[in-house]
């Protein structure tokens, strides 16, 4: 009922490794059941006749030092329904493993390699998994993991995806120091629970996540000189706010403007200068 990719990237936007899962299905709220990840530990997808307990147990095994292969073996060895399960795991170092039980509905299968595991069931055919693998291996390793995962997911969908149709999709990426204010390690946690074009909608949401919930990199920071500060002050007051901090807090741009106002992201500056509609242009 589902196709997914679980992967690790060596270095994310904040310079730290990333782990994540992208998944789509003809199933309501697939993001509730399939993906799990912890920064500095690994990531897992559990699907087909999903054993959702595998998420917590599997991550605990990885946290205790098990490799992806060992963790997967441990999960399956005492599971009487192992032949109905499909699982993909990536460990802290990028070791990967995938399992497709013999009782999973056709077409079902998976592939794993250095830093990734791809799997799916009730698919249009093996070309779905192959398209996802090609998209992953061809993607830029310097790009944020969320975008690489979404590219792979979209490739699988274009190759036929879930043969029953489309309904939901989800994207989860973790990295130490990521998340709102850099406090919870969750770089991306987006779900499209019920939608005619869930991957298209997930792509739109990722663009908003980049703008609102992803910190500016050093390369994206423009120094606020006295001249620029004066321009910004005039713009925010014209917009009805007493100062930049008030405008930033109202518009939720805290991740892309320095708390002391010493730098500003060019996307945010463009929005401030452009007025209505500029936010969409910034995407």
């Amino acid at each position: 009922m589902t196709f997914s990719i679980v992967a690790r990237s060596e270095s994310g936007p904040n310079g730290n490794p990333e782990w994540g899962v992208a998944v789509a299905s003809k199933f309501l709220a697939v993001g509730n059941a399939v993906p799990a990840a912890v920064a500095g530990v690994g990531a897992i997808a559990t699907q087909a006749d999903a054993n959702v307990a595998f998420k917590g147990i599997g991550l605990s095994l990885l946290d205790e030092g098990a490799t992806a292969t060992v963790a997967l073996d441990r999960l399956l060895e005492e599971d009487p329904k192992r032949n109905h399960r499909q699982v993909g795991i990536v460990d802290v170092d990028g070791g990967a493993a995938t399992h497709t039980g013999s009782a999973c509905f056709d077409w079902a299968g998976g592939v794993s390699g250095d830093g990734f595991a791809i799997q799916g069931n009730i698919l249009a055919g093996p070309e779905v998994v192959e398209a996802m693998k090609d998209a992953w291996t061809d993607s830029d390793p310097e790009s944020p993991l969320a975008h690489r995962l979404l590219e792979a997911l979209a490739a699988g969908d274009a190759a036929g995806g879930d043969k029953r149709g489309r309904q939901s999709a989800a994207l989860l990426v973790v990295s130490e120091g990521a998340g709102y204010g850099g406090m919870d390690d969750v770089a991306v946690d987006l779900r499209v629970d019920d939608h005619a074009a869930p991957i298209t909608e997930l792509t739109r949401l990722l663009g908003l996540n980049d703008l609102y919930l992803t910190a500016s990199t050093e390369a994206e920071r423009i120094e606020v000189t006295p001249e620029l500060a004066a321009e910004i002050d005039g713009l925010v007051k014209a917009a009805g706010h007493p100062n930049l901090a008030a405008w930033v807090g109202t518009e939720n741009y805290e991740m892309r403007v320095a708390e002391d106002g010493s730098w500003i992201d060019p996307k945010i500056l463009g929005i401030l200068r452009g007025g209505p509609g500029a936010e969409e242009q910034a995407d």
Side-chain angles (χ1 to χ4, degrees):
M1 65 180 182
T2 303
F3 54 104
S4 67
I5 175 169
V6 184
R8 176 189 185 272
S9 179
E10 182 63 32
S11 180
N14 64 1
N16 294 326
E18 298 179 287
W19 295 261
V21 183
V23 58
S25 182
K26 180 64 171 68
F27 184 85
L28 179 68
V30 70
N32 180 59
V34 171
V38 173
V41 175
I44 183 170
T46 175
Q47 56 199 55
D49 187 350
N51 184 340
V52 295
F54 278 1
K55 294 186 289 186
I57 298 170
L59 289 170
S60 293
L61 291 168
L62 294 177
D63 193 33
E64 292 168 1
T67 64
T69 299
V70 169
L72 181 58
D73 289 344
R74 292 279 299 278
L75 288 173
L76 297 172
E77 64 186 2
E78 296 182 0
D79 183 0
K81 296 188 70 175
R82 66 180 70 87
N83 289 337
H84 297 263
R85 313 294 192 200
Q86 193 167 53
V87 187
I89 302 181
V90 170
D91 61 36
V92 64
D93 297 316
T98 186
H99 164 79
T100 299
S102 59
C104 291
F105 295 136
D106 288 335
W107 186 89
V111 61
S112 63
D114 185 20
F116 74 92
I118 298 168
Q119 45 283 315
N121 60 91
I122 318 184
L123 301 183
E127 61 271 18
V128 177
V129 168
E130 287 302 316
M132 294 176 71
K133 178 184 176 183
D134 290 344
W136 170 258
T137 56
D138 291 344
S139 64
D140 182 359
E142 299 300 317
S143 294
L145 180 59
H147 290 264
R148 299 179 68 195
L149 292 173
L150 194 52
E151 286 176 21
L153 197 67
D157 185 60
D162 187 325
K163 66 183 180 182
R164 301 167 305 164
R166 304 177 177 92
Q167 186 170 8
S168 66
L171 183 61
L172 174 64
V173 175
V174 298
S175 178
E176 293 179 359
Y180 185 74
M183 300 296 290
D184 66 1
D185 297 343
V186 180
V188 179
D189 186 4
L190 298 172
R191 300 178 183 182
V192 178
D193 289 343
D194 187 25
H195 197 283
I199 295 176
T200 300
E201 177 63 5
L202 192 61
T203 301
R204 185 186 73 84
L205 292 177
L206 180 58
L208 294 176
N209 188 92
D210 287 347
L211 181 64
Y212 289 105
L213 299 175
T214 303
S216 302
T217 65
E218 291 288 341
E220 293 174 316
R221 298 177 178 183
I222 296 175
E223 180 185 359
V224 177
T225 62
E227 293 79 12
L228 183 55
E231 178 192 356
I232 290 172
D233 186 60
L235 290 169
V236 297
K237 286 179 178 175
H241 300 275
N243 52 50
L244 177 61
W247 179 78
V248 167
T250 300
E251 300 297 330
N252 304 314
Y253 296 136
E254 295 91 343
M255 300 285 284
R256 291 189 170 269
V257 178
E259 188 172 350
D260 63 2
S262 60
W263 58 263
I264 187 170
D265 188 289
K267 289 183 179 180
I268 305 308
L269 182 58
I271 291 168
L272 184 57
R273 285 170 168 168
E279 183 172 313
E280 288 74 14
Q281 295 172 20
D283 293 344

